[in-house]
Amino acid sequence: MNRFSTILICLFSCFQNGVFAQEIDPDDSFTFELSLPNSINNKPYKTIMQGLVQSSAQYQYTLKNGLSFASGIHYTYFAINEFRVPSKVYGGIHTAAAYIKVGHEKFWSERFGTDFGLKMGYLQSYTVSDLLKTKGIPYNFIQGTYIEPCIGLVLTADVNCSYRLTIGYPIYGYGFTPWMIGVDSNIGYDPAEFSKPSSLLSVGFAYTFYFNGKKSVAED
C-alpha cells in the first residue's frame, strides 16, 4: 500500500495552491491508468498467480449529455507464485488487450466527477516459465475476449487535468489451468474450476488530460 499512499499525497498536494473558477468541460480526453490487480473467481488462478501490475491508456470523447465513447489498450502481468506449485516454477502471464468503451462521464461540481463504463475488446495472453522452456515450449499463447466494468472517481486539479481513483473488474475469456505454466497435473484442484473465466479486481489511480483548450482562472 506504500505506492498508493505516495500517489495520494501527490494527488492532494495539487489542490493546495488555490481554487480555479471554471469547471472541466469533459469533451475529448486522454487517460493513463496504473493499478494493482488481484485474481479472483477461478480458484487455481487466484492461488497460483499473483498480480503485479495493470495499466491502460485510452482516448475518450464525451457528449454534452455525458454519454462517452473511448478506445484504448490494456496490459497486465501476473507472476507465478512458486510456493503454490509442487516444485518451484518461475515466470508469469503477460496479457495485452485492445478495447472500446461505452460509458457516462459527469462533473457534479468543480472538484468532483464520476466516470462509469464498460470496456469490451480482444486479448492475447503469453505464458512464459522456466518449466515450459525445459519442455521446448517458448511460451503458451491464448486469445480471448476482454470485458471490464469500471468506475472512476475523479478529483480535478485544473480545468485541463484531473486525477482519479479507479476500480475495475476485468474478465478474460479463458480459464486458467496449471498446464498453462507447464505443470502436468491438476495439483488437486477440481477440474470444474478450470472452465471458469480468469477474472480480477483492480484498484489504482489514473491521470486524465482534457483537450478542451481552456485555461485555469485562479482565485485568491
Side-chain angles (χ1 to χ4, degrees):
M1 294 302 293
N2 288 338
R3 75 183 83 172
F4 287 162
S5 300
T6 302
I7 296 173
L8 274 175
I9 293 171
C10 294
L11 191 161
F12 286 107
S13 68
C14 295
F15 307 130
Q16 294 179 351
N17 297 321
V19 178
F20 56 87
Q22 291 179 304
E23 65 183 53
I24 285 181
D25 175 12
D27 203 17
D28 56 335
S29 61
F30 175 81
T31 297
F32 177 78
E33 175 189 353
L34 190 63
S35 306
L36 181 64
N38 292 284
S39 52
I40 56 178
N41 192 38
N42 182 306
K43 191 172 182 179
Y45 185 58
K46 180 179 180 180
T47 304
I48 297 173
M49 305 306 300
Q50 293 180 314
L52 295 186
V53 66
Q54 174 181 312
S55 63
S56 66
Q58 72 173 31
Y59 171 82
Q60 178 165 297
Y61 187 84
T62 302
L63 304 177
K64 296 299 182 184
N65 62 5
L67 184 63
S68 61
F69 303 91
S71 62
I73 53 176
H74 162 97
Y75 170 80
T76 58
Y77 178 69
F78 276 75
I80 299 170
N81 185 341
E82 65 270 22
F83 302 107
R84 295 291 187 173
V85 289
S87 59
K88 289 186 177 181
V89 182
Y90 299 96
I93 301 177
H94 299 270
T95 298
Y99 66 84
I100 58 174
K101 173 190 167 190
V102 178
H104 185 272
E105 182 179 22
K106 180 178 176 62
F107 280 88
W108 303 93
S109 69
E110 291 182 352
R111 287 300 188 188
F112 178 71
T114 55
D115 188 356
F116 300 89
L118 179 65
K119 299 175 181 178
M120 300 167 287
Y122 167 81
L123 66 82
Q124 295 182 338
S125 289
Y126 299 85
T127 303
V128 294
S129 75
D130 54 350
L131 187 55
L132 285 173
K133 291 179 180 178
T134 62
K135 299 178 179 182
I137 304 172
Y139 57 84
N140 274 328
F141 172 68
I142 298 176
Q143 304 178 71
T145 56
Y146 161 69
I147 299 174
E148 182 183 353
C150 54
I151 301 172
L153 304 177
V154 185
L155 290 175
T156 57
D158 200 339
V159 294
N160 289 107
C161 63
S162 70
Y163 299 87
R164 62 183 64 194
L165 171 69
T166 61
I167 302 172
Y169 182 60
I171 303 170
Y172 296 162
Y174 62 83
F176 173 82
T177 69
W179 300 285
M180 289 174 59
I181 61 174
V183 177
D184 296 325
S185 73
N186 60 12
I187 324 181
Y189 292 104
D190 183 349
E193 290 286 336
F194 302 151
S195 61
K196 295 181 179 180
S198 302
S199 58
L200 45 141
L201 179 67
S202 64
V203 179
F205 295 93
Y207 170 80
T208 298
F209 181 82
Y210 297 89
F211 301 98
N212 54 27
K214 290 183 178 180
K215 301 296 182 182
S216 60
V217 179
E219 292 182 344
D220 296 331

